[in-house]
Amino acid sequence: VILIDASVLGESTIVPDISQEKVFQASGHSLAMARLKNARGVAVSWAAQGVAKIVEDLHKNGEVEGVFGLGGS
């Protein structure tokens, strides 16, 4: 199991395998910039792009057999 934290606000209470910052870096942006923009839609889009890139890379390396997503506001 690989835990990816794609949240924008706050800090995770669980230590993820892939941090929020790494997710945003994978999207070509930064977590700090997502927070500064203060635009939920932009942040969610960037997070989705980052997660997609990370999962694609993991899949290419044979590290993905399935994906489960959980979220909420």
Side-chain angles (χ1 to χ4, degrees):
V1 174
I2 299 172
L3 178 62
I4 301 173
D5 184 354
S7 63
V8 178
L9 300 176
E11 299 299 322
S12 180
T13 57
I14 301 170
V15 178
D17 298 296
I18 300 175
S19 69
Q20 297 164 297
E21 187 60 47
K22 289 186 190 237
V23 167
F24 284 89
Q25 287 172 353
S27 76
H29 304 281
S30 72
L31 177 59
M33 183 57 68
R35 289 177 174 169
L36 281 174
K37 280 198 164 286
N38 198 25
R40 185 175 185 276
V42 171
V44 169
S45 178
W46 290 355
Q49 291 169 18
V51 169
K53 173 75 171 108
I54 289 167
V55 172
E56 180 181 352
D57 291 345
L58 290 169
H59 184 264
K60 285 180 184 175
N61 293 329
E63 298 179 60
V64 174
E65 293 182 20
V67 175
F68 176 80
L70 178 67
S73 300

